[in-house]
Amino acid sequence: MTLRNQIIEFEGESFPSKSYTSMVLKPAYNEAKQNFLKSMLQIHTAHLVMLQEQGLVTEEEAKKIGQAVGDIEIEKLQKGEYDPRFEDLFFQVEHNLIEQAGDIAGNLHIGRSRNDMGIAIYRMTLREKILDLLEGALHLRESLIELSKEHIDTIMIGYTHTQQAQPTTLGHYFNAMTDMLTRDITRLQSAYKTVNRSSMGAAALTTSGFPISRSRMQELLGFEDIIDNAWDAVSGADYIMETATAVQIAALNLGRSTQDFLLWGTQEFAAFRLAAPYVQISSIMPQKRNPVSIEHMRALLSGVAGDAQTVLTMVHNTPFGDIVDTEDDMQPYLWKAMDRLKGIYHLLSSVLLTMNVDKDLLLNRAKESFANVTELADTIVREDGLSFRQSHHIVSGAVTSLTQAGKDSLRDLTLALVNEHAEQVIGKPLTLTEDVFKNALNPVYFVHVRILPGGPAPSRMTTTLKNKKEEQKQLQGWMKSKKEALEQYEQILKVYVQQWAQKGE
């Protein structure tokens, strides 16, 4: 037997082939039956309502078709296996409707294509997943606000270029994370607006010769706008690219902090101790408390970014038209990324809120660090009227002389040493008193005088956190309003289905 005949014998001679079924159709069917059925039936319902209102089907026809739509058993379909008699879930549901209502069910396809319907299903599915992800993001945001408040006085060293830079607070760090997360949330809100637009009525590519109502379909399906151009409606993929980009940025942003947490949790840093549910012991080393929860989050965040990038790559260099590259094969990558990111938001919240921070160690470390000397330079400018560059040379020279002598503690920095370098730079000692000098090197003082907007001073942070809580209420209100709007349109469609069912009794 030739290789060609072997392939034909294995694959079959009619659509679909065995390998095409296993590689493409069956996986797509399994994803669709879990994610698309609700939206698909809602579109059938809305389209039928619109057809009757436009006089394109009679009341009697609408009743028969509507009863068939209402009789579709979602759970039964979700538990079922792929049937190769039907290319996909769409045709299987259409077959079931015709079986129950007769050929008249075919009129449900008046003025509609699988193209505009498929895009509408993708958008309806994605808008719900965006809201679910935002729920997780807002949970983490609330946790970060709480942590910022809890650690508003937790003095620690801040780092630039991975080197000790200036004293700040752990609350200031968590507040910075809050701001970054808020931008992630804003990007997801913008993506939601892009996603929540109706493709229905675009049909295959050019709308329809039937007098259907695109605006009525938008209203019935809870979309906030219509995609005006029919070609764009069935071809544009930037709605999913925008969402993927927002998700990817969010994962990359959070990944940077997980890297910090892994470093700060080492015994050398010893900034905090994770609670028992989030660490794992070693099989051979009795002393180990491995921070595996944070390690896994870092790895999973990379996976989220990768899945989002897969979406962008699959769209790259595809023609601007209806094409499978942007459809069933691609959508699950983004869903997986979003589901994982939401889970990470909840896990990270739990890890951070239950960890034990060693505040005394962080404060004492800050007291020992040369990170405080920026304030000494500032104080010299204020007290002696020098230029900042002169002051910088004096302080830098004093610190350099200590480090060259092998002394790496701020306690070794004396006013006498600073005055030696002052005489080299300005030809005379400074007028600083010993008390002013010591106060300038106190990390608590350093933090408390940073009262400008964005600074770590507790007085400034108190105002900042108050604003953050107000923003949290607004963001929660936005999400609640969007969910309520979707629930409202779903209830309206259910009423139509119930009315059709009652007319058949």
Side-chain angles (χ1 to χ4, degrees):
M1 181 182 293
T2 65
L3 180 58
R4 179 178 184 277
N5 288 337
Q6 289 176 11
I7 291 174
I8 292 173
E9 182 178 342
F10 177 79
E11 295 278 16
E13 296 188 72
S14 60
F15 183 86
S17 73
K18 187 174 181 179
S19 59
Y20 185 64
T21 297
S22 63
M23 187 67 188
V24 178
L25 298 180
K26 188 174 181 179
Y29 178 86
N30 289 334
E31 291 284 357
K33 72 180 183 181
Q34 298 301 327
N35 292 282
F36 292 154
L37 271 170
K38 185 179 79 167
S39 298
M40 183 181 293
L41 295 180
Q42 288 170 349
I43 291 173
H44 283 326
T45 301
H47 194 69
L48 183 57
V49 170
M50 183 273 295
L51 290 177
Q52 183 183 349
E53 291 176 350
Q54 295 296 109
L56 294 170
V57 297
T58 67
E59 182 178 351
E60 185 62 26
E61 289 171 335
K63 182 184 72 174
K64 288 187 68 175
I65 300 171
Q67 288 167 5
V69 172
D71 288 340
I72 294 291
E73 298 180 55
I74 291 180
E75 290 185 6
K76 183 178 179 180
L77 283 171
Q78 288 176 334
K79 293 177 181 177
E81 295 296 325
Y82 174 72
D83 186 341
R85 292 181 301 161
F86 310 108
E87 179 182 340
D88 58 17
L89 183 66
F90 173 86
F91 284 116
Q92 182 174 353
V93 171
E94 184 178 78
H95 171 79
N96 291 351
L97 291 173
I98 292 174
E99 265 196 335
Q100 293 184 58
D103 289 339
I104 193 67
N107 281 340
L108 190 58
H109 217 52
I110 290 174
R112 190 183 73 183
S113 166
R114 191 168 55 157
N115 293 2
D116 61 345
M117 183 176 175
I119 295 298
I121 289 173
Y122 298 146
R123 288 172 176 268
M124 292 168 72
T125 302
L126 188 53
R127 70 185 179 185
E128 290 192 0
K129 291 186 179 294
I130 291 175
L131 292 180
D132 285 342
L133 178 56
L134 280 168
E135 185 176 38
L138 288 173
H139 174 71
L140 176 58
R141 190 179 189 276
E142 186 175 11
S143 301
L144 291 173
I145 293 172
E146 184 64 29
L147 286 160
S148 299
K149 179 181 178 182
E150 179 182 349
H151 294 289
I152 198 170
D153 288 312
T154 303
I155 303 293
M156 63 176 281
I157 299 170
Y159 294 79
T160 62
H161 302 280
T162 70
Q163 303 298 304
Q164 294 182 0
Q166 293 182 336
T168 183
T169 67
L170 185 55
H172 192 226
Y173 180 90
F174 284 133
N175 188 51
M177 285 185 67
T178 308
D179 283 347
M180 188 163 60
L181 179 61
T182 303
R183 294 192 296 274
D184 294 332
I185 290 169
T186 301
R187 279 184 282 268
L188 287 169
Q189 287 178 312
S190 178
Y192 183 89
K193 182 179 180 181
T194 300
V195 167
N196 200 24
R197 302 172 67 213
S198 176
S199 59
M200 294 306 298
L205 183 68
T206 59
T207 73
S208 172
F210 290 100
I212 60 172
S213 173
R214 295 195 69 192
S215 60
R216 182 61 169 147
M217 287 299 292
Q218 172 205 335
E219 178 185 6
L220 287 168
L221 294 174
F223 287 111
E224 296 173 342
D225 200 358
I226 293 173
I227 307 168
D228 179 68
N229 186 283
W231 190 313
D232 181 34
V234 300
S235 306
D238 53 305
Y239 76 96
I240 193 170
M241 287 193 286
E242 182 176 342
T243 308
T245 301
V247 169
Q248 186 178 57
I249 292 172
L252 295 173
N253 278 341
L254 201 57
R256 300 180 71 193
S257 288
T258 59
Q259 176 62 20
D260 286 341
F261 298 144
L262 279 172
L263 181 63
W264 297 348
T266 60
Q267 288 165 299
E268 286 74 15
F269 270 77
F272 58 78
R273 181 183 176 88
L274 296 187
Y278 308 105
V279 295
Q280 185 173 310
I281 63 171
S282 166
S283 63
I284 189 172
M285 295 168 281
Q287 86 283 5
K288 293 294 290 296
R289 295 183 84 257
N290 299 325
V292 290
S293 54
I294 302 179
E295 290 180 65
H296 282 299
M297 281 188 278
R298 181 174 62 172
L300 291 171
L301 284 166
S302 295
V304 170
D307 284 335
Q309 184 61 44
T310 297
V311 171
L312 300 173
T313 304
M314 290 178 76
V315 178
H316 176 62
N317 278 355
T318 57
F320 183 46
D322 175 69
I323 193 164
V324 297
D325 306 59
T326 62
E327 297 174 354
D328 292 355
D329 294 327
M330 181 182 67
Q331 304 285 331
Y333 285 100
L334 184 55
W335 305 337
K336 179 183 176 183
M338 296 171 79
D339 289 343
R340 278 191 170 177
L341 184 55
K342 180 182 179 182
I344 292 167
Y345 282 150
H346 282 276
L347 177 57
L348 183 59
S349 296
S350 301
V351 168
L352 296 179
L353 285 170
T354 58
M355 71 181 181
N356 181 38
V357 176
D358 194 333
K359 298 183 179 183
D360 291 336
L361 180 145
L362 290 174
L363 176 59
N364 290 330
R365 183 174 290 157
K367 288 180 177 179
E368 295 281 340
S369 173
F370 288 123
N372 298 276
V373 299
T374 300
E375 182 55 36
L376 175 59
D378 290 348
T379 299
I380 292 172
V381 171
R382 286 191 291 264
E383 296 290 325
D384 279 73
L386 303 185
S387 73
F388 182 79
R389 192 51 56 203
Q390 288 176 310
S391 177
H392 185 282
H393 284 321
I394 292 169
V395 175
S396 176
V399 172
T400 299
S401 66
L402 286 176
T403 57
Q404 288 176 344
K407 298 178 179 180
D408 58 1
S409 172
L410 186 64
R411 299 183 189 278
D412 296 317
L413 183 63
T414 64
L415 179 56
L417 179 61
V418 172
N419 277 328
E420 286 180 19
H421 287 272
E423 289 181 356
Q424 295 175 18
V425 174
I426 62 173
K428 61 181 180 179
L430 302 171
T431 63
L432 291 185
T433 66
E434 195 69 38
D435 286 343
V436 171
F437 174 76
K438 289 181 178 179
N439 196 45
L441 297 180
N442 185 339
V444 176
Y445 176 78
F446 187 106
V447 167
H448 279 248
V449 297
R450 262 68 183 172
I451 60 174
L452 292 175
S459 59
R460 165 55 59 182
M461 284 285 291
T462 298
T463 302
T464 300
L465 292 177
K466 182 180 178 181
N467 294 336
K468 289 288 191 299
K469 288 180 180 179
E470 286 301 315
E471 290 171 356
Q472 184 76 3
K473 291 179 183 178
Q474 294 171 9
L475 292 169
Q476 291 281 9
W478 181 92
M479 186 178 67
K480 182 181 178 183
S481 69
K482 300 303 179 185
K483 286 194 170 186
E484 287 177 347
L486 296 187
E487 289 170 2
Q488 185 177 17
Y489 97 80
E490 287 182 16
Q491 291 304 316
I492 291 173
L493 293 178
K494 285 178 181 178
V495 170
Y496 283 109
V497 174
Q498 290 167 359
Q499 290 174 347
W500 288 323
Q502 291 168 359
K503 289 178 182 180
E505 294 176 353

